[in-house]
Amino acid sequence: MTEENAEKTPVEKTSTEAAGRATGLSRRGVLGAGGAGVLAGAALGAGLVSVARADDSAAPTYGGRIPFHGDHQAGIATPVQDRLHFAAFDVVTTDRARLVAMLREWTIAAEAMTAGRPAGRGAVGGNVLAPPDDTGEALGLDASRLTLTIGFGPSLFGRFGLEGRRPAALVDLPHFPGDRLDPARSGGDLCVQACADDPQVAVHAVRNLARIGFGVVSVRWSQLGFGKTSSTTPDAQTPRNMMGFKDGTENVPGTDAAQLDEHVWATAEDGADWMAGGSYLVARRIRMHIETWDRTGLREQEDIIGRDKGEGAPRGRQKERDKVILEAMKPDAHVRLAHPDTNGGAKILRRGYSFTDGTDGLGRLDAGLFFLAYQRNVTKGFVQIQKSLGADALNEYIQHVGSGVFAVPPGVAKGGFWGDTLFT
Amino acid sequence: MTEENAEKTPVEKTSTEAAGRATGLSRRGVLGAGGAGVLAGAALGAGLVSVARADDSAAPTYGGRIPFHGDHQAGIATPVQDRLHFAAFDVVTTDRARLVAMLREWTIAAEAMTAGRPAGRGAVGGNVLAPPDDTGEALGLDASRLTLTIGFGPSLFGRFGLEGRRPAALVDLPHFPGDRLDPARSGGDLCVQACADDPQVAVHAVRNLARIGFGVVSVRWSQLGFGKTSSTTPDAQTPRNMMGFKDGTENVPGTDAAQLDEHVWATAEDGADWMAGGSYLVARRIRMHIETWDRTGLREQEDIIGRDKGEGAPRGRQKERDKVILEAMKPDAHVRLAHPDTNGGAKILRRGYSFTDGTDGLGRLDAGLFFLAYQRNVTKGFVQIQKSLGADALNEYIQHVGSGVFAVPPGVAKGGFWGDTLFT
């Protein structure tokens, strides 16, 4: 248990001092180290660092730094940042030692980047004849609340001497009615979730991990999310999804330790010692048929969701966080079918992001929700809820087109590395 | 010439008062109008509106409002906002009257959305049995410096009685060596460039125009940009592209009226009366082979670009904005070949955005630059420069994969509509 972890959602401003304390230079400092950039470094220093956001009142400072080390990986209970870059990787080596070496290298890079420092010796230092250790597009940007969270997919456990280490809780997801999963957007031996307030910082982080992993891993699929649709902070406003509604109000708040222990953090008793303090992640790319939705009447939209559109209040109530009256909703309303009371108390921690990835060749926007659900037990969490949603009136307007399930190991102690409880 | 246009880059805070002055309700106000949301509306009101950004010092207030009306369309000389959603449309009707009616409807919606108001009667008002006039996902968000800019592609001018109205300056782009253009990411009868500080606001705007245009237009392709790579404000820091470099320092600043007149704003003498005060847009989707770039040595990267990576100073100089010494660069350096002095004084106004659209099926990120060049004369601007860049050392690392050229008509006066100089 590290000092950072003892605090509640602790964050430091990425001041030059704070970044400089660590082993490397800050991204801003490294500009100066390049020789010519002292003035530029100073001028850039006044950016986003301490801009408070009134719409996320319990969140750490916008643009600041979130500690990498702790009992749990950051990026799960952490207040949801504005942007996402999620990547799934295939492991392309057969050499366990190379994979472990890469995980160690990744950890060092993740420690640096989440602290607002460049990877390695940076983008401009070192031997000018060699490729830089950092790709450079985040030079001058601050830590931006970057979190990097790693997970291991089922396919990893048939190799590398990991046979027998697959947690029982890491189930293969069943086929759900309506699923139309694209293999090119599904699965993966590893995943990395990068969340940050600045998308350039999230993209930079994934790209640099991919660069470091060259020859060991290959990007299988990746997803950019431009708008968060969840808040893990109970007193913050719930953002709206691409249907124009607030959703996910009843999910586990990242600030509620008791609920996190009950619903999110795995223990050794859940089937794998090495996963104690970790969690299980289900990622689903959910395409929304927004053109059809947009031609649906307001009352019908509200009946389908089970909330009013303006305020987000459950049917029959006045405010978003008023207690839900399930009987006031239609039997096939989304909120009713997803609600814990309909699912034997099942709850997940949700980090969802909207996406828009161009068009689908039929004149329609390829848009929807990239849904990230963290839970202690996939069968009792996502699978239970998704089975219930088989009757969801919303299914006419959505389709699950990508899917992944990952064992997200516990947090890394100082000196440790991502996955060390599994690989050592 | 409207009152707003008389000011320099004028912006109003989207206070309830400012939004309320106009014909409709603000997006926040409409929550209240929905009946249950008065408290929510007030709570949301304290968001991003007036958060100044030190890295863009000459820019209007971050999150504020940019006037829609004026001699020129907003979104060209306007200081570059953080995010982009660009969409090209095919016109699917053969009925000129329907097309014109849609352009009138689009204009009314654009006036509302750029002012931070919902389209039409909003997402929750009106007849509950009818689909809402606004899709709702931007409810509670402010204007976010949203600009909407329309353009007309060459293919529009063969129909609708527009034969003979095609400006001579709206040339078809020649094939350039190395082009590998995907028809599914090229062309279009119309385009809309949506720029905003919040991507949800930009995506919302394009989506609502597509919804309003149902039956008249169909989305042909669209592109999300997550990170601006240009600044049209000379004293702001130039952002970095996905190669980690600053680029475009020498382009036309949006604050320099003489340069805008010389290089950007079309006049009647440029070949079409109806385009006076407009401009010509070239849009190129430029894929970067970032994995190859990332394995290139630092000095070689700097030689290829012609600037140092840390500061962005031209070869042989100390600071980004020091005068370029072309002879200090290699003959095939990017900056040298793109420089006005190499191209008979040719200059463009540049609004570029980075993109990352998942992966390419070969384990590589589909990432690069979505390049938007505005100019008075495409042949003397983009075509001249791009021909010169045929010898660019950078060509080993990039590929143009999408392309469009559009006549961007002049600004709209109050009571007018997008394209009224062409269609009336």
Side-chain angles (χ1 to χ4, degrees), chain A residues 190-212:
Chain A
L190 301 177
C191 75
V192 174
Q193 169 197 285
C195 294
D197 291 323
D198 185 328
Q200 185 125 337
V201 170
V203 168
H204 169 265
V206 166
R207 173 198 186 171
N208 277 273
L209 296 180
R211 183 184 54 75
I212 291 166

Side-chain angles (χ1 to χ4, degrees), chain A residues 260-384:
Chain A
L260 290 170
D261 282 341
E262 184 179 352
H263 297 289
V264 179
W265 303 131
T267 66
E269 288 70 48
D270 293 319
D273 282 357
W274 67 269
M275 274 292 289
S279 189
Y280 295 92
L281 167 64
V282 173
R284 304 283 281 191
R285 187 176 193 268
I286 305 175
R287 171 85 190 272
M288 292 176 175
H289 305 307
I290 58 171
E291 292 79 5
T292 316
W293 180 254
D294 290 347
R295 294 196 285 278
T296 304
L298 174 63
R299 183 179 292 163
E300 191 177 347
Q301 288 187 3
E302 293 180 333
D303 282 343
I304 289 167
I305 301 293
R307 295 183 184 278
D308 83 273
K309 196 163 192 173
E311 159 64 18
R315 276 318 211 192
R317 305 306 304 263
Q318 295 300 307
K319 305 235 180 80
E320 182 194 347
R321 291 180 199 280
D322 285 349
K323 191 167 165 46
V324 167
I325 307 169
L326 294 181
E327 298 69 30
M329 299 177 190
K330 300 217 166 183
D332 59 357
H334 176 73
V335 166
R336 180 169 182 167
L337 293 173
H339 196 272
D341 291 353
T342 309
N343 293 290
K347 275 194 169 191
I348 54 169
L349 183 146
R350 173 186 161 151
R351 300 174 74 87
Y353 287 87
S354 293
F355 67 83
T356 298
D357 292 336
T359 47
D360 67 357
L362 297 168
R364 300 178 305 204
L365 290 174
D366 180 5
L369 172 68
F370 190 71
F371 180 84
L372 296 165
Y374 285 93
Q375 60 246 289
R376 182 174 166 183
N377 184 306
V378 173
T379 305
K380 291 184 187 162
F382 176 79
V383 172
Q384 164 61 41

Side-chain angles (χ1 to χ4, degrees), chain B residues 318-333:
Chain B
Q318 296 300 309
K319 305 233 181 82
E320 182 193 348
R321 291 178 199 282
D322 284 350
K323 190 165 164 49
V324 167
I325 307 168
L326 294 182
E327 298 69 30
M329 299 178 190
K330 299 216 167 184
D332 59 357

Side-chain angles (χ1 to χ4, degrees), chain B residues 241-411:
Chain B
N241 64 19
M242 289 288 281
M243 291 181 156
F245 278 80
K246 301 177 183 180
D247 192 16
T249 309
E250 297 281 337
N251 296 315
V252 177
T255 47
D256 185 330
Q259 282 204 51
L260 290 170
D261 282 341
E262 185 179 351
H263 297 288
V264 179
W265 304 131
T267 66
E269 288 70 48
D270 292 319
D273 283 356
W274 67 269
M275 273 293 289
S279 190
Y280 296 92
L281 167 63
V282 173
R284 304 282 281 191
R285 186 176 193 270
I286 306 174
R287 171 85 190 271
M288 292 176 175
H289 305 306
I290 58 172
E291 292 80 5
T292 315
W293 180 254
D294 290 347
R295 293 196 285 279
T296 303
L298 174 62
R299 182 179 293 163
E300 190 177 346
Q301 288 186 4
E302 293 180 333
D303 283 342
I304 289 168
I305 300 294
R307 296 183 183 278
D308 83 273
K309 196 163 191 172
E311 158 64 16
R315 275 320 210 190
R317 305 307 303 262
Q318 296 300 309
K319 305 233 181 82
E320 182 193 348
R321 291 178 199 282
D322 284 350
K323 190 165 164 49
V324 167
I325 307 168
L326 294 182
E327 298 69 30
M329 299 178 190
K330 299 216 167 184
D332 59 357
H334 176 73
V335 166
R336 181 169 181 166
L337 294 173
H339 196 273
D341 290 352
T342 310
N343 294 289
K347 274 194 169 191
I348 54 168
L349 183 144
R350 173 186 161 152
R351 301 174 73 86
Y353 287 87
S354 293
F355 68 83
T356 298
D357 292 335
T359 46
D360 67 356
L362 297 169
R364 299 177 306 203
L365 289 174
D366 180 5
L369 172 68
F370 190 71
F371 179 83
L372 296 165
Y374 285 92
Q375 60 246 289
R376 183 174 165 184
N377 184 305
V378 173
T379 306
K380 293 183 186 163
F382 175 79
V383 172
Q384 164 62 42
I385 295 166
Q386 189 60 18
K387 278 185 178 163
S388 172
L389 291 175
D392 191 353
L394 198 55
N395 290 341
E396 194 178 331
Y397 304 92
I398 63 175
Q399 190 155 48
H400 288 235
V401 295
S403 179
V405 58
F406 301 93
V408 175

